[in-house]
Amino acid sequence: MKTPALSRLFSPKAVAVFGSVKPGRMAGQIVTQLLEGGYLNPLVCVNPRAEAPGQYPGLPALASLDAWTEKPDLAVIAVPAEHVSGTLEACGRAGVPFAVVLSAGFAESGNQAGEERLKELARHYNIRVIGPNCAGIMHTPSRLFASIENRALPGRIAFISQSGAVGGAVLAIAGLRGIGFSTFVSYGNRADIGEVELLHHLASDPATDVVAMYLESITDGRAFLAAAAAVSREKPFIIIKAGRSRAGERAAGSHTGSLAGSDAVFTAACRQSGALRAEGIEELLDLCSAFQDLPLMQGGRLAIVTNSGGPAILTADRAEAVGLEVAEPGAPLRAALSEFLSERCSLGNPFDLTVEASGENFERALRAVLEHDYDGAIAMNVGTPFIDSRKLAEGIAAAAKDPAGGKPVAAVFMAGEMVATGARLLAERGVPLFPTGERAGAALAGLSRYASIRRRINRSYRAQPAVSAALRTRLLPFGEPVLEPELVEFLNSLDFPLPPAKFAATPEEAEAAAAGLGFPLVMKVVSPRVLHKSDRGGVLLDIRSAEQARQAFLELRKVFAGLDFRGAMLYTQLQQQIELILGVKRDSQFGPVVLLGAGGVLTEMIRDVSVRIAPLDREEADEMIDELTVRPLLEGFRGRPRADRAALAGLIVRTSELACVYPEIQELDFNPLFAGPEGCVIGDARLLRAPGAEGEESQSGLR
Amino acid sequence: MKTPALSRLFSPKAVAVFGSVKPGRMAGQIVTQLLEGGYLNPLVCVNPRAEAPGQYPGLPALASLDAWTEKPDLAVIAVPAEHVSGTLEACGRAGVPFAVVLSAGFAESGNQAGEERLKELARHYNIRVIGPNCAGIMHTPSRLFASIENRALPGRIAFISQSGAVGGAVLAIAGLRGIGFSTFVSYGNRADIGEVELLHHLASDPATDVVAMYLESITDGRAFLAAAAAVSREKPFIIIKAGRSRAGERAAGSHTGSLAGSDAVFTAACRQSGALRAEGIEELLDLCSAFQDLPLMQGGRLAIVTNSGGPAILTADRAEAVGLEVAEPGAPLRAALSEFLSERCSLGNPFDLTVEASGENFERALRAVLEHDYDGAIAMNVGTPFIDSRKLAEGIAAAAKDPAGGKPVAAVFMAGEMVATGARLLAERGVPLFPTGERAGAALAGLSRYASIRRRINRSYRAQPAVSAALRTRLLPFGEPVLEPELVEFLNSLDFPLPPAKFAATPEEAEAAAAGLGFPLVMKVVSPRVLHKSDRGGVLLDIRSAEQARQAFLELRKVFAGLDFRGAMLYTQLQQQIELILGVKRDSQFGPVVLLGAGGVLTEMIRDVSVRIAPLDREEADEMIDELTVRPLLEGFRGRPRADRAALAGLIVRTSELACVYPEIQELDFNPLFAGPEGCVIGDARLLRAPGAEGEESQSGLR
């Protein structure tokens, strides 16, 4: 879904700004931003009094767009909400292809009708709209600053934000840190153009090397996933997703439902699309700064070169916590370092050059560590009044801008004024500077993570929706309410591994079924009115003879006589092995998702789960197994038999496909799923049907 | 161990500075710092040429201290390492009570002899010494800046640092943020005065309200624990402990050894003493800023009052992640807010006053949330060009400086220059300002955590060493090597809950013992040369008759004939219940520590452990149980029987005392320990003896 047209939005040949230009009013602010930012193409102010801002008396100003001789590509609309429709109509008549609507007062404040009217007009006149209720757009290559926020420095990062305020805050902090942008979009209510279209555009935008975004909600999870994967395939993609804490709160009808909360599903989407998730604004900007100025880190081995021990230890602590390896050097590197470092220096990692470190020693040490053992380095200078921070900065910059093997070097200059001249030099030379080693370590971990994503990108970051479409959907072959015998028959017909089972409607049938199945047996009541069978005494274990089976049936019939008793299911009793839970659920954003987790008593206690968006291939199923904390149990922990991993992975794949093929499945749990050396067996299954035409839910299960 | 004398160190009536005062040299720098910092008492430079720094020509300067008419309380020594002894002798002869030795070149660079000589002289002349190899001290109430680092702003925080560089970095960043200090000490190699003595001083120092420290290692864990508890009882105590990542790496001889790594023990020490642990410099300063300017937060309910939704959601996410509760308001608060807020505002938490928020609305909303439902608040202003940040700041400051119920209000002003005037106003009024809401949330969580520590302080933050001293130590009643029958007898004699057991040296004894114990039985080989009995086939299970017992004995004797076979232990086979691990180990810093964890297959997989420094009381033992992830198992998870919690807590207490009473115990594991409704039973025990006079280790166990 390439939209090359969007490049015209960001490089308009003429712009019309609608709204009051009186001091402090929004349209005037936009005009000021455009002119101060250096926009040189034709520009006109449109407002009832045909006013231009007082400080730009010669600027064209009209009461109506019709009177303009130019044909604008872009209308920036900052009129009161009730006048937006009229303005859009005027733009439509004039054939303006793009509008950025800053005006608030639409869906965000309950005015759904106004927002619908805006959408209609946009469709009718074929105007593509950003907003309403947004803070505008910027594009530094075309010197377009059609936004009320701080003007971005020029650069090669694109930032798109669902919140104008977060966008403004990011730009303000980025400006202080020298981080520059190609593109900024605050897309507000996304009545028309939203994140999916913007991401596809940015994926192929030659002016953009890094894409960052702030997101609160998405409208179409599958489309978002495809767009995110399209970006990650080309360039680093960093996301802040707000609302993490609230996400998991909803009540759910099954374990899969509660364990695969919407935040867990979003995390799975990031993982499957190759996006990097940042926790907050500082982490986002730290990553942007690193990606802007540094090559990727092709491995996890980090060297810390410092002139002070303490802060370097804190750096090592944090670097290891975020997945890097602060490994010790080998003998050849030690030998190389000892040629020029004094015996007071530490030849271990962190490499402490001591307070006597010179710029030359920093440069030589950085070159040596990158040549020998490490994938990236942090250079730390902790200022004291005796040290000329500028000289150290020169040595560090020399090594950082021409690093051995094209590896990344980040710098940390601590202690404020004492290191200010050095810090300025590094900024001028484009060496990214972090306020603490802890944050530098986290940023380099991002470089390393994206490098590993890039290595795998052609394998597992595939376009999900295409695969999904290949699976033809079907209807469930049973009606409402779903009874256990039907669910068992359905799963058996698809070769899902259930224990041998028979349904009995009478004591005699129970006796005969038992004899046919062999012993020991489990018997479960069948009734549309009994959902939690175990809790209600509807499950009888360890039946060891046909006569016991008859007695058990009579007992169930007696207990559940008043509860629409239909009979009983008899199963061969399973030898208990490793308990897992495998399930699918239909996420409101992303559709079918798969969950694999530790089962039994561990399910709720340790929440050891892996989540993916369905369908999956074998490799992804294997990754899910690898993510489990209880994985050692499957691998023959302490001399126990090894579970059949191939059978488990195959079952995960088939379960993920089941969820795609039967859209009526809202939630389906195999809990417990027993994994053993001979394969997997479903100990119990439970199905929750998606709300039907009548909006009803229905549950059925083996339980 | 109060040392009121230290107050004289920090408020000297006269100071002598030893060393070269040439430009760029350390002693000259110290003199400059002292004079520019406003030190008004007599000051003299002492160096061979009797020079004062060029810019202070009138300053007294002597070739020898003897010639000075004043009697200094403090000598600041910045001479080359080889001249430190002579300088100390001169100070000693002159009766100087305190010296701060900045000179490097002692133990830190391998010169142990020089450091020993320095200690000897200090003892001989009764000079108390800070350093060597330190960055000096500051005390703002007496305008004493005897340090090479940036001069601290005046304030009521004390910061002591094992690393001069970290100290300098903290002071530099603190200066930019307006955080002030009463006291700064870089104590370097701590040849004499170390962190323990400094902490006891600061605990009762009336000029200090908050104590912060940076620590790399400690010399005496028990003394540190007592000092930390002494501080926490009086004022908030914040620690950065470096070396977190490396700490857990050492190989250990038992599960307790590896699970209770030195970092886990340090964390336990913080918890037991009431200290707050910060991860890095920014978190430390965020906490200092909050404690400096705000009252404690007497609960966990946080209100977020904002003029922008997005950043407030990020704040809520982080606040909940660090343990605060961003709860929804009750009806009375909603009613109160709706009286003055427009319908566009969100009356849920975060309270979004929208871009139209006024200073007055901020003030009223903050007052209302603190009056009604919340224990603290964050006020967030995300700047846009239309907002007068100064007016918002005035409203926020008014509410923050006179908050309902003395509750804390922190501010976040985002977007750089656009909010600069408001930010300055808040700084002037002493309202702490954070760069992001995420960091404000973490800082308020610290206020809440310390408030809860204060509430418990008289209960559980007791002086550990005193309790420890009450337990008289004894020798283990068995020699080397320790055999299983002796260990069992020892534990039985102390009423530790072991299953019935008998030792058999012959097949006939085995037969008789089996008949006496009852069935089923477990039999284990006894041999000083077989440590890992299970792995070597030395444990036979499920013996069901006296004859089987005889056969089992014969089999063990045959298999272990060449391995110093001594016989076999027979035990009643335990019904498996909830598996735990309970152990003690002797930590090199803190002495005996106790570990409780999930047992069986979970031990290594989920590392679910709680660690405490021994001995413990019942309440602390209960806290350990409460910390376990597997606690629900003990509480009758899913209808299972409840374990006897009182019995378990009692066993933890007695095991902790055992470790104190028998210092020869290096490590003792009860693994598994079975916890059930009838109490606890030790499934297996294993004892590692502390290295003896010969430096040997020996192991023994039931395994």
Side-chain angles (χ1 to χ4, degrees):
Chain A
M1 200 179 74
K2 292 266 174 77
T3 59
L6 284 190
S7 53
R8 195 168 159 200
L9 162 66
F10 292 114
S11 301
K13 297 216 165 53
V15 174
V17 179
F18 293 80
S20 167
V21 295
K22 294 200 163 53
R25 304 297 293 276
M26 212 183 261
Q29 179 71 19
I30 292 286
V31 171
T32 304
Q33 291 271 77
L34 283 167
L35 292 173
E36 290 190 1
Y39 183 71
L40 298 173
N41 291 340
L43 177 64
V44 67
C45 304
V46 186
N47 50 62
R49 297 193 185 177
E51 287 177 328
Q55 70 270 41
Y56 307 111
L59 195 69
L62 303 168
S64 157
L65 184 60
D66 305 336
W68 206 27
T69 51
E70 301 287 338
K71 190 171 154 56
D73 299 308
L74 173 61
V76 181
I77 301 176
V79 301
E82 60 271 26
H83 296 145
V84 167
S85 291
T87 307
L88 273 179
E89 284 176 313
C91 292
R93 285 192 306 268
V96 179
F98 289 103
V100 172
V101 182
L102 286 80
S103 319
F106 291 87
E108 86 285 358
S109 52
N111 179 10
Q112 308 295 346
E115 185 128 343
E116 282 308 313
R117 176 75 183 134
L118 185 154
K119 287 184 193 177
E120 262 168 44
L121 289 171
R123 270 194 299 273
H124 179 76
Y125 288 107
N126 196 25
I127 307 180
R128 303 303 313 277
V129 174
I130 297 274
N133 183 35
C134 77
I137 66 171
M138 306 186 197
H139 190 60
T140 59
S142 56
R143 296 173 159 269
L144 176 80
F145 296 95
S147 168
I148 54 174
E149 301 297 348
N150 282 325
R151 290 200 300 279
L153 299 179
R156 302 192 55 81
I157 298 167
F159 182 61
I160 67 177
S161 178
Q162 197 171 350
S163 154
V166 169
V170 165
L171 291 181
I173 303 174
L176 299 174
R177 294 180 59 177
I179 297 171
F181 295 85
S182 61
T183 309
F184 168 77
V185 181
S186 156
Y187 57 86
N189 295 2
R190 61 183 160 197
D192 177 18
I193 297 171
E195 65 277 4
V196 169
E197 204 169 339
L198 289 165
L199 291 175
H200 280 291
H201 164 73
L202 294 170
S204 58
D205 176 22
T208 297
D209 290 342
V210 182
V211 178
M213 92 179 287
Y214 169 83
L215 189 66
E216 290 174 1
S217 64
I218 46 180
T219 42
D220 178 345
R222 296 271 159 170
F224 175 79
L225 193 64
V231 175
S232 300
R233 226 189 314 271
E234 301 296 329
K235 46 196 87 168
F237 179 32
I238 310 155
I239 306 182
I240 303 177
K241 169 73 164 66
R244 199 161 201 153
S245 54
R246 309 306 177 82
E249 286 175 12
R250 78 171 187 93
S254 72
H255 276 113
T256 300
S258 64
L259 292 172
S262 60
D263 197 69
V265 174
F266 189 81
T267 301
C270 289
R271 201 185 183 300
Q272 285 174 276
S273 65
L276 303 173
R277 191 160 176 189
E279 298 254 337
I281 290 171
E282 286 185 339
E283 189 185 347
L284 179 102
L285 286 170
D286 285 349
L287 288 170
C288 285
S289 170
F291 281 117
Q292 167 182 280
D293 290 324
L294 294 178
L296 296 184
M297 183 160 162
Q298 302 289 352
R301 294 170 61 93
L302 174 72
I304 301 167
V305 180
T306 182
N307 63 356
S308 170
I313 303 176
L314 293 176
T315 304
D317 286 355
R318 174 88 177 127
E320 296 208 337
V322 294
L324 296 177
E325 196 191 343
V326 186
E328 288 299 322
L333 174 55
R334 282 180 190 274
L337 290 171
S338 67
E339 277 179 26
F340 61 92
L341 292 179
S342 89
E343 61 195 7
R344 291 201 189 176
C345 298
S346 160
L347 301 186
N349 193 6
F351 300 90
D352 188 350
L353 310 186
T354 79
V355 72
E356 294 161 13
S358 64
E360 190 198 339
N361 278 358
F362 257 109
E363 180 179 350
R364 293 181 70 177
L366 286 166
R367 288 195 196 283
V369 297
L370 295 182
E371 261 160 36
H372 282 82
D373 295 332
Y374 296 96
D375 304 306
I378 296 175
M380 300 186 68
N381 165 31
V382 184
T384 78
F386 306 99
I387 297 174
D388 180 349
S389 71
R390 193 178 166 84
K391 284 195 182 144
L392 299 192
E394 273 170 1
I396 290 166
K401 297 318 282 182
D402 172 29
K407 293 171 178 176
V409 177
V412 177
F413 270 39
M414 296 177 93
E417 275 311 303
M418 284 194 287
V419 295
T421 58
R424 267 194 299 277
L425 183 138
L426 289 172
E428 284 160 22
R429 302 267 177 97
V431 178
L433 199 61
F434 294 89
T436 66
E438 294 95 299
R439 283 169 61 180
L444 286 191
L447 295 183
S448 170
R449 213 154 65 244
Y450 183 65
S452 103
I453 288 168
R454 282 298 289 253
R455 284 193 294 274
R456 292 185 300 170
I457 217 125
N458 291 318
R459 180 166 71 67
S460 71
Y461 298 95
R462 55 198 169 78
Q464 289 278 343
V467 176
S468 180
L471 299 168
R472 295 229 328 264
T473 65
R474 298 183 206 172
L475 292 178
L476 288 172
F478 39 77
E480 284 271 80
V482 185
L483 288 173
E484 185 163 332
E486 294 166 323
L487 181 56
V488 166
E489 193 188 331
F490 171 62
L491 292 171
N492 273 331
S493 75
L494 297 169
D495 281 330
F496 278 79
L498 290 160
K502 284 187 179 160
F503 174 69
T506 65
E508 293 69 33
E509 283 180 22
E511 207 172 338
L517 287 168
F519 302 96
L521 287 177
V522 182
M523 190 182 292
K524 304 183 188 178
V525 68
V526 175
S527 155
R529 292 177 57 191
V530 182
L531 288 181
H532 300 281
K533 292 186 278 285
S534 300
D535 300 352
R536 309 265 308 259
V539 179
L540 302 175
L541 300 171
D542 219 23
I543 295 166
R544 293 187 172 264
S545 71
E547 174 53 23
Q548 275 185 24
R550 213 178 78 89
Q551 292 301 330
F553 187 94
L554 291 170
E555 189 187 324
L556 288 179
R557 191 167 69 177
K558 192 171 148 198
V559 171
F560 295 97
L563 288 165
D564 198 4
F565 177 79
R566 306 277 178 99
M569 284 296 286
L570 284 81
Y571 297 88
T572 303
Q573 189 163 312
L574 295 171
Q575 196 201 339
Q576 299 221 348
Q577 300 183 16
I578 298 151
E579 279 185 64
L580 299 173
I581 172 172
L582 173 62
V584 291
K585 68 168 256 191
R586 191 157 302 269
D587 180 76
S588 59
Q589 305 292 341
F590 287 93
V593 299
V594 187
L595 172 137
L596 177 72
V601 296
L602 297 178
T603 306
E604 284 155 43
M605 275 193 314
I606 68 173
R607 291 185 81 88
D608 175 25
V609 296
S610 172
V611 176
R612 290 287 188 286
I613 294 162
L616 302 177
D617 60 21
R618 266 297 294 276
E619 218 157 357
E620 287 169 305
D622 270 321
E623 282 176 8
M624 291 185 79
I625 299 171
D626 284 340
E627 277 177 23
L628 292 186
T629 301
V630 295
R631 188 193 54 177
L633 292 181
L634 300 169
E635 293 175 345
F637 195 70
R638 291 195 183 164
R640 294 175 196 209
R642 219 171 231 283
D644 182 345
R645 187 181 169 121
L648 176 58
L651 183 61
I652 294 168
V653 170
R654 288 168 54 217
T655 307
S656 82
E657 290 170 352
L658 188 75
C660 297
V661 170
Y662 293 94
E664 287 171 287
I665 297 175
Q666 178 66 35
E667 294 179 9
L668 173 63
D669 265 5
F670 300 145
N671 180 19
L673 173 72
F674 295 108
E678 315 294 324
C680 300
V681 189
I682 296 167
D684 199 0
R686 182 189 178 87
L687 188 139
L688 179 69
R689 202 187 261 270
E694 310 81 37
E696 282 181 331
E697 292 202 354
S698 80
Q699 283 190 320
S700 170
L702 310 185
R703 184 167 293 136
Chain B
M1 202 180 75
K2 292 264 175 80
T3 58
L6 284 191
S7 53
R8 194 168 159 201
L9 163 66
F10 293 114
S11 301
K13 296 216 166 54
V15 175
V17 179
F18 293 80
S20 167
V21 294
K22 294 201 165 49
R25 303 298 294 276
M26 213 185 262
Q29 178 71 18
I30 293 285
V31 170
T32 303
Q33 291 271 74
L34 283 167
L35 291 174
E36 290 190 0
Y39 183 70
L40 298 172
N41 290 342
L43 176 64
V44 68
C45 304
V46 186
N47 50 61
R49 297 193 186 175
E51 288 176 327
Q55 70 270 41
Y56 306 112
L59 195 70
L62 302 168
S64 156
L65 184 61
D66 305 338
W68 206 28
T69 51
E70 300 288 338
K71 189 170 154 56
D73 298 307
L74 173 62
V76 181
I77 300 177
V79 302
E82 61 270 28
H83 297 146
V84 167
S85 291
T87 307
L88 273 180
E89 284 175 315
C91 292
R93 286 193 305 268
V96 180
F98 289 104
V100 173
V101 182
L102 286 81
S103 318
F106 292 85
E108 87 284 358
S109 50
N111 180 9
Q112 308 296 346
E115 185 129 343
E116 282 310 313
R117 176 79 182 130
L118 184 154
K119 288 185 192 175
E120 263 169 43
L121 288 171
R123 271 194 299 272
H124 178 77
Y125 288 108
N126 197 24
I127 306 180
R128 302 303 313 276
V129 174
I130 296 274
N133 182 36
C134 76
I137 67 171
M138 307 186 197
H139 190 60
T140 59
S142 56
R143 294 174 160 269
L144 176 79
F145 296 95
S147 167
I148 54 173
E149 302 297 347
N150 282 326
R151 290 199 300 279
L153 299 178
R156 302 191 56 81
I157 298 167
F159 182 62
I160 67 176
S161 179
Q162 196 171 348
S163 153
V166 170
V170 165
L171 291 181
I173 303 175
L176 299 175
R177 294 181 57 178
I179 298 171
F181 294 85
S182 61
T183 309
F184 168 77
V185 181
S186 156
Y187 57 87
N189 294 2
R190 62 183 161 200
D192 178 16
I193 297 172
E195 66 277 4
V196 169
E197 203 168 340
L198 289 166
L199 290 175
H200 279 290
H201 164 74
L202 294 170
S204 59
D205 176 23
T208 297
D209 290 342
V210 182
V211 178
M213 92 179 289
Y214 169 83
L215 189 66
E216 290 174 0
S217 65
I218 47 180
T219 41
D220 178 344
R222 295 272 159 168
F224 175 80
L225 192 65
V231 175
S232 300
R233 228 189 313 271
E234 301 297 330
K235 46 196 87 168
F237 179 32
I238 310 156
I239 306 182
I240 303 178
K241 168 74 164 66
R244 199 162 200 154
S245 53
R246 309 306 178 82
E249 285 176 12
R250 78 170 187 93
S254 72
H255 277 112
T256 300
S258 64
L259 292 172
S262 60
D263 196 70
V265 174
F266 189 80
T267 301
C270 288
R271 202 187 181 301
Q272 285 175 278
S273 65
L276 303 174
R277 190 160 176 191
E279 297 255 336
I281 290 171
E282 286 185 337
E283 189 185 348
L284 179 102
L285 286 170
D286 285 349
L287 288 169
C288 284
S289 170
F291 281 118
Q292 167 182 281
D293 289 325
L294 294 177
L296 296 184
M297 182 160 162
Q298 303 289 352
R301 293 170 61 93
L302 173 72
I304 300 168
V305 180
T306 182
N307 63 356
S308 169
I313 302 175
L314 293 176
T315 304
D317 286 355
R318 174 89 177 127
E320 296 208 338
V322 295
L324 296 177
E325 195 190 345
V326 186
E328 288 298 322
L333 173 55
R334 282 179 191 273
L337 290 171
S338 66
E339 277 179 26
F340 60 93
L341 291 179
S342 90
E343 60 196 8
R344 291 202 189 176
C345 298
S346 160
L347 300 186
N349 194 5
F351 300 90
D352 188 350
L353 310 187
T354 79
V355 71
E356 294 162 13
S358 65
E360 190 197 337
N361 277 359
F362 256 109
E363 179 178 351
R364 293 180 71 177
L366 286 166
R367 288 196 196 284
V369 297
L370 295 182
E371 260 161 37
H372 282 82
D373 296 330
Y374 297 96
D375 304 306
I378 296 175
M380 300 186 69
N381 165 31
V382 184
T384 78
F386 306 99
I387 299 174
D388 180 349
S389 71
R390 193 178 165 85
K391 284 195 180 143
L392 299 192
E394 273 169 3
I396 291 166
K401 298 317 286 180
D402 172 28
K407 293 171 178 175
V409 177
V412 177
F413 269 39
M414 297 177 92
E417 275 311 304
M418 284 195 286
V419 296
T421 58
R424 269 194 298 276
L425 183 138
L426 289 172
E428 284 159 22
R429 303 267 176 97
V431 178
L433 199 60
F434 295 89
T436 66
E438 295 96 297
R439 283 168 62 180
L444 286 190
L447 294 182
S448 170
R449 213 154 65 242
Y450 183 66
S452 104
I453 288 168
R454 283 298 289 250
R455 284 193 294 274
R456 291 185 300 170
I457 217 123
N458 292 318
R459 179 167 70 69
S460 70
Y461 300 93
R462 55 196 169 79
Q464 289 279 345
V467 175
S468 180
L471 299 168
R472 295 231 324 267
T473 65
R474 298 183 206 170
L475 292 178
L476 288 173
F478 39 76
E480 284 271 79
V482 185
L483 288 173
E484 184 163 333
E486 294 166 322
L487 181 56
V488 166
E489 193 187 331
F490 171 63
L491 292 171
N492 273 331
S493 75
L494 297 169
D495 281 332
F496 277 79
L498 290 160
K502 282 187 180 158
F503 174 68
T506 66
E508 294 69 31
E509 283 180 22
E511 208 173 337
L517 286 167
F519 304 96
L521 286 177
V522 182
M523 188 181 295
K524 303 182 188 178
V525 68
V526 174
S527 154
R529 291 177 57 190
V530 182
L531 289 180
H532 299 280
K533 292 186 278 286
S534 300
D535 301 352
R536 310 263 310 255
V539 179
L540 302 175
L541 300 172
D542 218 23
I543 294 165
R544 293 188 171 264
S545 71
E547 173 54 22
Q548 276 185 24
R550 212 178 79 88
Q551 292 302 329
F553 187 94
L554 292 170
E555 188 187 324
L556 288 179
R557 191 166 68 179
K558 192 170 148 199
V559 172
F560 296 97
L563 289 165
D564 198 4
F565 178 80
R566 305 278 178 97
M569 284 296 285
L570 286 81
Y571 297 88
T572 303
Q573 190 164 311
L574 294 171
Q575 196 201 340
Q576 299 222 347
Q577 300 183 18
I578 298 152
E579 279 184 64
L580 299 173
I581 171 171
L582 173 62
V584 290
K585 67 168 258 190
R586 192 155 302 272
D587 180 77
S588 60
Q589 305 291 342
F590 287 94
V593 299
V594 188
L595 172 136
L596 177 71
V601 296
L602 297 178
T603 306
E604 284 155 42
M605 276 194 313
I606 69 173
R607 292 185 81 87
D608 175 25
V609 296
S610 172
V611 176
R612 290 288 189 285
I613 294 161
L616 303 177
D617 61 20
R618 265 298 292 276
E619 219 156 359
E620 288 170 305
D622 269 322
E623 283 176 6
M624 292 185 79
I625 299 170
D626 284 340
E627 279 177 21
L628 292 186
T629 302
V630 296
R631 187 192 56 176
L633 290 182
L634 300 169
E635 293 175 345
F637 195 70
R638 291 194 183 166
R640 294 173 195 210
R642 223 169 227 284
D644 182 345
R645 187 181 167 120
L648 176 59
L651 183 61
I652 295 169
V653 170
R654 288 168 53 215
T655 306
S656 82
E657 290 170 353
L658 188 75
C660 297
V661 170
Y662 293 94
E664 287 170 287
I665 297 175
Q666 178 65 35
E667 295 179 9
L668 173 64
D669 266 5
F670 300 145
N671 180 20
L673 173 72
F674 295 108
E678 315 295 326
C680 300
V681 189
I682 295 167
D684 199 359
R686 181 188 179 89
L687 188 137
L688 179 70
R689 203 187 260 271
E694 310 82 38
E696 283 182 328
E697 291 202 356
S698 81
Q699 284 190 318
S700 171
L702 310 185
R703 184 166 295 138

